[in-house]
Amino acid sequence: MFYHHDDMSEHDTLRRFIFEELPVQGRHVHLDATWRAALERQDYPAPVRALLGETMAAAALLSATLKFEGNITLQIQGAGPVHLLVVQCTSGLKLRGLARWNGEVGAADFRGLVGDGRLTMTIEQNGKAERYQSIVPLEGDSLSASLESYFERSEQLATRLWLTAGDGSASGLLLQVMPDRKADADAWQHVTVLSDTLKQSELTGLSAQELLRRLYNEDDVRLFEGAPVAFRCQCSRDRIEDTLRSLGHAEVDSILREQGRVDVDCEFCGKRYSLDAVDIESLFSGGLHVSANSIKH
Ligand SMILES: [Zn+2]
């Protein structure tokens, strides 16, 4: 069967749903322009494009579960051709991401792409210095399997994900046990067995409403209004200046002498930050002031 959704309101949208009679909630996401914007920065091989799309869909689904303003970063580091993949999503559903790969990337599956490695999930809350980070080995033969094993190992709420990317859009479905309701293993089994019948073409092509009807037509499901998802980088001149300060005055001065100015291109969005000699001087005069004070103490 061929599914096609023309409803523009479903593009780049995340929607939450709950089962009225069961302690289970879910989220559904379609990424269209959001995913394609991330692909503009690099000429990614097709399998890398798809993996980046799936990871972006996963990050959007997971960050939508945050109970505070902040962001989630998913980072995959592996021994395969794709040695690094980073996706960040804010609680306001602003996404950015990139992947790095070596050599030829064939039509490889997940493990063929990333090899043995690890998945790091970092959760940051706005305005708080401490961050929560957990690292799990890449497991199973898909990104969703690796993420699910993270939830199992960290004794978080039972969570399942279905992810797919291709033909210009990336999509995902997440199911999670309700945090404040009595656990119900039968209910969880019931909804996950139904969800496992989902075909990739359905996940890509159906609207949230059609998909819920297709999967859970016997259950009473309430679908909430959609929230827009967008590609937006969190880079800023302040962050670039922090990075340059951490390189040290001597190092930055040597770049300045070589090139007359210091240009830094954001790896995520391609935006260029350009600093001249005066900018660099004021950058480090602030830094020197701080270190002079710290010597006094
Ligand atoms: Zn940027």
Side-chain angles (χ1 to χ4, degrees), residues 75-139:
Q75 182 166 321
I76 295 170
Q77 289 162 288
V82 180
H83 52 95
L84 176 70
L85 193 149
V86 187
V87 170
Q88 190 172 61
C89 187
T90 70
S91 49
L93 301 174
K94 303 291 183 277
L95 273 160
R96 63 178 186 168
L98 61 81
R100 300 236 183 283
W101 74 99
N102 290 321
E104 282 287 296
V105 178
D109 57 13
F110 177 67
R111 295 312 294 271
L113 287 173
V114 299
D116 287 330
R118 58 193 196 165
L119 170 75
T120 307
M121 190 185 309
T122 309
I123 298 174
E124 292 167 288
Q125 188 168 359
N126 289 352
K128 293 217 171 161
E130 77 267 33
R131 52 193 199 161
Y132 172 77
Q133 189 168 68
S134 59
I135 301 170
V136 294
L138 293 171
E139 275 176 294

Side-chain angles (χ1 to χ4, degrees), residues 250-262:
E251 174 76 25
V252 176
D253 259 351
S254 83
I255 302 170
L256 188 63
R257 272 197 303 278
E258 246 169 60
Q259 301 175 358
R261 55 192 307 112
V262 178

Side-chain angles (χ1 to χ4, degrees), residues 7 9 19 22 26 29 88 94 115 134 143 157-158 177 194 198 200 220 222 260 265 273 282 284 287:
D7 183 0
S9 65
F19 291 83
L22 309 171
V29 72
Q88 190 172 61
K94 303 291 183 277
S134 59
L143 173 64
L157 296 169
V177 165
L194 289 175
L198 188 61
Q200 290 213 331
D220 194 0
R222 189 179 354 154
D265 294 331
Y273 295 87
S282 68
F284 284 100

